[in-house]
């Protein structure tokens, strides 16, 4: 079985960590890996578009058992990896797109957004990213900086829990769908998060005229 080797680690919040691994295989933005050996296999979306050096990013929730294992893995250590697999993909870089993510569901969304803007820097893309607390809006600085560089990319962070200091958008990402759909022509939709969020978006997006073949998603 192929393995990936840990190169770098950076805490994203108390809840999640950004890990950079060296891989020997290629992947397509949106795919995931199955990590671990017999009896302890866990799925993780690759959080980066393909890079020439075959390094890849993971965005890992560290509150569970396997997350803790990855969070304490020594730099240079290897983890068994199966895949990459999964159907979530960039559908068409020429088209406008809506992106929705919650929690570590940002991982494949970040990968596809990177691939989308690399192929079409002027793409019309809007990202609605939700977390319970503002500090768990992983990669927020990165998305804000991207929005400054790319005038057609708009970042909409939203916080669903109690947070007296948060001055921005509130509620779950699905609550902002109506606004996301306003005044725009046809577009694709990419989304990832908990099962309930994904099922809700599938139905609401179809009802709003974005059919299944224009949706690409992953459920956690
Ligand atoms: C296709 C696919 C892709 C996925 N990609 C990712 C990814 O990119 N990143 C990612 O983090 N996960 C991802 N997941 C989910 C991940 O595979 C599962 O959550 C897995 O169970 C995590 O394993 P674990 O042993 O760390 O957590 P478990 O011990 O199995 O716990 C499951 C989850 O419960 C929650 N939890 C556990 N303990 C606590 C606690 N004390 N307090 C609060 N919450 C707690 C955490 O969210 C934890 O991840 C993906 C799942 C699928 C199916």
């Amino acid at each position: 079985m192929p393995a990936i080797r840990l190169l770098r680690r950076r805490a994203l919040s108390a809840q999640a960590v950004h890990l950079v691994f060296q891989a020997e295989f290629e992947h397509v933005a949106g795919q995931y890996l199955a990590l671990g050996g017999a009896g302890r296999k866990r799925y993780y979306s690759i959080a980066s578009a393909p890079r020439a050096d075959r390094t890849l990013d993971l965005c890992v929730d560290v509150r569970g058992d396997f997350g803790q294992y990855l969070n304490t893995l020594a730099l240079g250590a290897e983890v068994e990896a199966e895949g990459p697999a999964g159907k979530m993909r960039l559908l068409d870089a020429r088209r406008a797109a809506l992106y929705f993510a919650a929690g570590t569901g940002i991982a494949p969304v970040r990968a596809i957004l990177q691939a989308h803007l690399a192929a079409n820097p002027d793409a019309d893309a809007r990202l609605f990213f939700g977390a319970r607390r503002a500090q768990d809006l992983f990669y927020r600085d990165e998305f804000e900086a991207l929005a400054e560089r790319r005038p057609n990319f708009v970042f909409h962070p939203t916080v669903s829990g109690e947070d007296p200091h948060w001055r921005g958008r509130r509620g779950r990402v699905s609550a902002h769908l109506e606004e996301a759909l306003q005044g725009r022509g046809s577009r694709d939709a990419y989304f990832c998060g908990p099962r309930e969020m994904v099922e809700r978006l599938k139905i609401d997006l179809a009802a709003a005229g974005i059919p299944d073949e224009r949706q690409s998603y992953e459920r956690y």
Side-chain angles (χ1 to χ4, degrees):
M1 193 188 291
I4 54 175
R5 183 165 46 86
L6 182 61
L7 298 177
R8 288 188 292 283
R9 165 188 291 116
R10 172 169 60 92
L12 293 169
S13 77
Q15 185 179 317
V17 69
H18 173 83
L19 301 174
V20 183
F21 284 90
Q22 182 67 56
E24 302 302 330
F25 49 81
E26 294 180 354
H27 78 277
V28 175
Q31 287 187 304
Y32 60 81
L33 298 172
L35 299 187
R40 205 162 78 131
K41 203 181 290 179
R42 294 285 191 268
Y43 298 94
Y44 291 96
S45 295
I46 298 171
S48 49
R51 294 192 281 251
D53 63 2
R54 293 190 178 175
T55 59
L56 55 84
D57 302 342
L58 298 184
C59 172
V60 173
D61 187 323
V62 297
R63 294 172 300 173
D65 293 343
F66 204 82
Q68 263 312 309
Y69 160 72
L70 290 175
N71 196 27
T72 51
L73 194 69
L75 295 184
E78 294 197 337
V79 185
E80 286 183 20
E82 261 177 49
K87 294 202 187 104
M88 194 172 174
R89 282 302 133 83
L90 176 61
L91 299 170
D92 187 340
R94 294 165 302 182
R95 288 172 57 85
L98 294 172
Y99 290 86
F100 302 93
T104 52
I106 194 64
V109 163
R110 178 177 183 255
I112 292 180
L113 182 63
Q114 285 180 354
H116 192 177
L117 295 183
N120 178 6
D122 295 326
D124 179 337
R126 301 180 75 181
L127 168 61
F128 290 80
F129 179 24
R132 213 159 282 158
R133 309 175 307 171
Q135 63 261 46
D136 296 320
L137 288 165
F138 316 129
Y139 307 110
R140 183 173 154 200
D141 292 354
E142 177 185 308
F143 294 129
E144 284 172 350
L146 189 63
E148 294 208 347
R149 289 201 311 279
R150 302 267 185 251
N152 293 331
F153 168 65
V154 188
F155 177 45
H156 299 287
T158 178
V159 168
S160 62
E162 291 295 322
D163 186 336
H165 304 297
W166 178 249
R167 297 273 165 268
R169 189 177 292 266
R170 288 190 175 273
R172 293 172 187 262
V173 285
S174 47
H176 302 286
L177 190 59
E178 208 172 304
E179 183 194 340
L181 291 162
Q182 261 167 19
R184 285 165 184 254
S186 91
R187 74 222 99 167
D188 299 331
Y190 302 93
F191 44 108
C192 182
R195 179 169 291 272
E196 320 81 72
M197 167 196 152
V198 169
E199 297 306 326
R200 181 80 262 148
L201 280 173
K202 277 169 61 181
I203 295 167
D204 290 351
L205 286 165
I210 302 181
D212 197 49
E213 62 271 21
R214 288 283 166 208
Q215 303 179 11
S216 190
Y217 50 84
E218 194 65 77
R219 301 178 192 86
Y220 283 5

